[in-house]
Amino acid sequence: MITLESFLLVSALLFALGLAAVLTRRNAIMILIGIELMLSAANLNFVAFWRFGANPEALTGVLFVLFSIAVAAAEAAVGLALIIMIYRHYRSINPLKFNVLNG
Amino acid sequence: MADASWIAHLLWLLPVLPLAAAAGVTVSPPSRRRRAAAATIGAQAVAFLIASALFLVVLKSSGGGDEIVRQTFNFTWFNFGSSSLELGLLLDPLNAPMLVMVTFVGLLICIYSVAYMSNDANFVRFFAFLSLFSAAMLGLLVANNLLLLFICWELVGLASYLLIGFWAHKPSAVAAAKKAFITTRIGDLGFFLGMIWLYAEAGTLQFYAGGAGILEQSTLTQLAAGITIGGMALATAISLLLFCGAAGKSGQFPFHVWLPDAMEGPTPVSALIHAATMVAAGVFLVARVFPLFAATAGPDLVSTALTTVTWIGAFTAVFAAAIAVAQTDIKRILAYSTVSQLGFMMLALGVGGVAAAIVHLIAHAFFKALLFLGAGSVIHGCGDEQDIRKMGSVRRFMPITFATYAIGMMALSGFPFFFSGFWSKEEILHVVHGWPQSPVPFYLALAGTALTAFYMTRQMRFVFFGNSRAETAAKPHESPRIMTVPLAVLAAAAVLLGIFATPAWPWFHRFITGGTATVDFGRLFTAGTLGLMFLSILLVGAGVGTAWVVYRRLPGSASAPDPLERRLPRLYRALADRLYIDELYNATLIPLHGAAGRAADGLDRFVWNGMVAALTRIILLLSALSQITDRRLFNQGFDSGCEILRRSGGRVSGAHNRNIQARLVYIGSGMVLLFILFAWI
Amino acid sequence: MITDAAFIAFAVLGIVTLGATLGAVAMRDPVHCGLALALAFCGVGGFYILLGAEFLGFIQLLVYVGAVAVLIMFVILLTRRPDSGQDTNSRGFWSALAGSGVALGVFAVLAVAISRSPSIQTATPADPEASIAAIGRMLVSSHLLPLKMIGVLLTVALIGGVLGAMQEGGKLER
């Protein structure tokens, strides 16, 4: 039997891997990938809770994920545009070098 | 009396005038030759006039009884505490003729120098030194105070040093100047000690101060009664110390070594300082403080000081005369002659003949100045040649010089009857003959007389007779008139002075000792006088004759051996080498000094320096220790503390970096920790 | 046996998704990472379908795999430089370790929280109805405002992305 816990654990693993990518990779694109993964994990959680939730007829989880995917798409578009701009400016996408605004 | 006594108040002008001239000439540029000479000669001439006037004043005032009339001008130099230092000037029959002599000879020599030094680049400086010397010498003579006398005495020594070393480009002149200064300084040390001792005992250094002076009866009695080391009377001990200074200045044995070397100076200097005046200062000093030398506790006792003076004088007289026999430098012969004659004067003083000594001093000053200036004329004429072996037949070229030189030579040798030297020497022989203690000084004096005649004849033969042995082709020429005139004047003085010194009219002696001279030709014919005169003439004749015979045939060339050397080679060599006194000093005193110096140096270097160095080491060690504690303990403690702080700060600040991912790591770990914390609770 | 088939599907999807995610996170070459990411998105879409939200699953494939992953691939290729290697920082190992540790810690915390949570219901309810018509009704009725907001957001993001990618130094790139 596939339980809620299984999905939650998969989602947690997905989230942890995304977090690891954000924390360890020295590449802005990889960080963006990590963020997308973490977002996907959250979406998976929403869907899983909706599926095993008390009132599936309200379709709240599905609708939320729908909006979330739209926001994630917009976020990816803007983030990648930013990365392109940064790359043009610095000739690098190493986040350690983006420190002009750093105190 | 009173009407003329104002002149006596001019006494202070005597030293001050030449001093002012010296100061003026010193600061004038070297090109002002005429002005320098004029200032010096002018000051000397005025001083001579004043001295003559003073002499007349003294002459007039002492015309009366047997008392010696002294005029003193005492004043206070400065006060310290309750006591004061008195200085004073003195005019008495002892120094009045000396003043005349010094100014007169000085004046002539200054005039002579104008010609003699005319080619010298340092003409102006020379005259400045001459003026300085003159001032110091006159100050020495007029002093009524041993301290003032000593100050002038040293100034005279300084002037002598400057003038001997005047041709400083010659190393020998520099060496001679140093030798003269140092040798006389050794004697002056005795003088200085004696003076201090005297001040400690008597409380004053005034010679005559209304009964309180050191040469007056009360002090003399006290000094004669006082007994010091070895049972010596205080007066004797102090006198002997003072005599050290006198012997040094007057070139008495064993201090005579500097005087012949002093002939390195210009000839006028040799004439003025090292023949006529300065070297006589020692004799003058002894004559001045003669009462101190003669002071004994009782009338029957003999003064040890005077005995010493007698023996030293007698020995020096013969010793120097013997050395003079074998010298070949014209000025050195005269220098040893001077030493010898000063020995005669000391001898006379030692046996009590102050008057005889002073008369001989003045006579000697004239004829020795004459001889030196004559020698200078010869040297000048022969092209600066000083070796008598390279001269000869100068008589033919320089007649005036020859004539005046001959007069000087005869006066020195004691040719009978017409020369001052004869009578003054007779007087010395007379007083020495009467010395009760020993006949030996008398015999020494006789030997000295004969030797004097011998070496002067030898010199005359070599220089003026025979054939020319000059190595240069240049003919000798007579000196200019400015040089010959002083010679003539001095020659006249050398002759005329004899008139005042004969036993028939012992005016000069009476003048000095007090009393009136009477003309009594009978005194010439008393047994003692006549016998002595006869003996003296005989000895002079023997000396001159022997020399004439020995040097009948002069050596043909300058390098040929001396006739005397051929006969008595060993003796001649010893005499020519000045009896090895210089070598003796070189072998004994100088190594001794060197050793003492090295010992002191070693003491300084190893003992004191070692102590200081050890102390330094200890201090260095202590400071090194404290440095180590500072550096290793405190500094390092603080340093490591600071280092820890800094490193931990670095670490902490490293955490606070710009790495956004690292910050996320912190946030994440913080979240995890918080969660664990909540789960725990 | 549906249950077994679902379990097998879950296991296969889990292995594929997590393996692709691991590859997307850990592989050195960003191009490989991008490809693995696309696979991982597909796996997530599979999970949606498994959970009964088919519409979401297709949307996921359409948007994530079809748009986002492709976009990321484009950017990776655009910023790729042959001379600049990735992850060349000397402190990379330690920061990677720290990041991995933190990620592991977060996973542990989540896992513990999931396993201890009492509110999680273990019983599986019946498959809910999530038809496209129901979702369309919901979107245009009760969620109309968020739908319009998303539309505005997407428009703004589109304009912003285009302008940002085009502009350089305030000038339009030719």
Side-chain angles (χ1 to χ4, degrees), chain B residues 252-616:
Chain B
Q252 296 301 288
F253 182 85
F255 296 110
H256 68 279
V257 288
W258 69 268
L259 190 50
D261 284 8
M263 299 306 139
E264 290 292 341
T267 303
V269 171
S270 307
L272 178 63
I273 299 180
H274 305 115
T277 56
M278 186 190 86
V279 291
V283 176
F284 175 76
L285 173 68
V286 176
R288 174 56 84 202
V289 295
F290 186 78
L292 188 68
F293 274 73
T296 50
D300 299 332
L301 295 172
V302 180
S303 164
T304 318
L306 284 183
T307 312
T308 312
V309 173
T310 306
W311 283 107
I312 297 245
F315 179 72
T316 309
V318 179
F319 170 80
I323 293 177
V325 167
Q327 297 302 306
T328 54
D329 185 314
I330 186 168
K331 284 172 75 180
R332 271 182 185 271
I333 295 172
L334 294 176
Y336 276 106
S337 163
T338 306
V339 173
S340 165
Q341 295 301 309
L342 291 167
F344 273 106
M345 295 172 211
M346 285 294 184
L347 172 62
L349 286 170
V351 298
V354 177
I358 294 300
V359 170
H360 191 59
L361 193 165
I362 290 175
H364 172 259
F366 284 118
F367 63 67
K368 189 52 68 68
L370 168 61
L371 283 172
F372 263 108
L373 294 188
S377 178
V378 171
I379 293 166
H380 201 71
C382 292
D384 292 327
E385 181 55 67
Q386 299 203 7
D387 194 332
I388 58 170
R389 289 172 302 184
K390 294 176 185 168
M391 295 174 181
S393 75
V394 174
R395 172 182 49 139
R396 266 177 271 155
F397 305 102
M398 307 173 79
I400 303 171
T401 305
F402 169 66
T404 51
Y405 201 87
I407 291 170
M409 171 261 171
M410 284 188 276
L412 174 58
S413 309
F415 266 59
F417 307 131
F418 298 112
F419 300 101
S420 56
F422 172 72
W423 297 111
S424 57
K425 189 179 286 180
E426 274 318 296
E427 190 60 31
I428 288 175
L429 289 174
H430 189 75
V431 290
V432 173
H433 184 59
W435 201 42
Q437 289 187 55
S438 168
V440 177
F442 176 66
Y443 299 136
L444 288 174
L446 290 178
T449 306
L451 281 171
T452 305
F454 183 86
Y455 67 70
M456 283 315 291
T457 311
R458 170 177 177 266
Q459 192 193 33
M460 287 295 285
R461 287 288 298 164
F462 260 101
V463 174
F464 290 102
F465 294 92
N467 298 317
S468 175
R469 295 174 300 281
E471 284 162 350
T472 52
K475 294 277 178 213
H477 58 85
E478 183 60 277
S479 298
R481 184 156 296 175
I482 195 168
M483 286 167 79
T484 53
V485 168
L487 288 177
V489 175
L490 282 170
V495 174
L496 289 175
L497 203 64
I499 298 169
F500 300 102
T502 58
W505 189 44
W507 177 85
F508 214 144
H509 304 86
R510 285 285 163 273
F511 173 72
I512 288 167
T513 56
T516 317
T518 52
V519 182
D520 183 1
F521 287 98
R523 270 199 292 273
L524 282 173
F525 303 106
T526 53
T529 315
L530 199 61
L532 275 177
M533 216 186 291
F534 184 67
L535 192 59
S536 169
I537 293 169
L538 203 65
L539 282 169
V540 169
V544 171
T546 316
W548 200 268
V549 169
V550 170
Y551 292 99
R552 191 182 60 245
R553 291 186 60 81
L554 289 164
S557 71
S559 53
D562 194 277
L564 191 66
E565 189 179 6
R566 266 177 285 154
R567 286 168 210 206
L568 299 164
R570 200 167 287 179
L571 179 67
Y572 183 84
R573 286 268 31 105
L575 291 175
D577 289 338
R578 303 177 298 281
L579 289 174
Y580 307 111
I581 296 295
D582 283 277
E583 285 74 11
L584 180 71
Y585 288 170
N586 274 336
T588 55
L589 283 178
I590 289 164
L592 200 67
H593 272 81
R598 275 191 294 279
D601 180 53
L603 191 72
D604 251 20
R605 192 167 297 195
F606 296 114
V607 179
W608 302 121
N609 204 12
M611 282 183 181
V612 173
L615 200 64
T616 314

Side-chain angles (χ1 to χ4, degrees), chain C residues 62-125:
Chain C
L62 203 64
V63 173
Y64 270 103
V65 181
V68 174
V70 171
L71 192 59
I72 282 172
M73 279 302 295
F74 268 109
V75 173
I76 285 170
L77 291 172
L78 276 175
T79 60
R80 196 175 159 87
R81 297 179 68 192
D83 56 326
S84 69
Q86 306 293 327
D87 287 351
T88 49
N89 200 313
S90 62
R91 286 171 65 190
F93 174 73
W94 293 105
S95 58
L97 200 67
S100 308
V102 168
L104 204 63
V106 168
F107 172 71
V109 166
L110 287 176
V112 167
I114 288 161
S115 59
R116 289 199 183 167
S117 175
S119 64
I120 291 174
Q121 162 183 30
T122 51
T124 308

Side-chain angles (χ1 to χ4, degrees), chain A residues 22-23 25-26 31 96 102, chain B residues 658-659 661 663-665:
Chain A
V22 169
L23 294 185
R25 299 305 294 262
R26 299 259 185 265
I31 290 168
L96 293 179
N102 216 320
Chain B
R658 297 166 171 184
N659 189 343
Q661 288 172 311
R663 294 186 192 179
L664 284 175
V665 168

Side-chain angles (χ1 to χ4, degrees), chain B residues 616-635:
Chain B
T616 314
R617 286 274 164 74
I618 291 168
I619 289 169
L620 278 176
L621 196 68
L622 287 176
S623 52
L625 274 176
S626 73
Q627 190 192 22
I628 286 167
T629 47
D630 255 20
R631 194 171 282 177
R632 292 281 151 76
L633 216 65
F634 298 108
N635 265 10

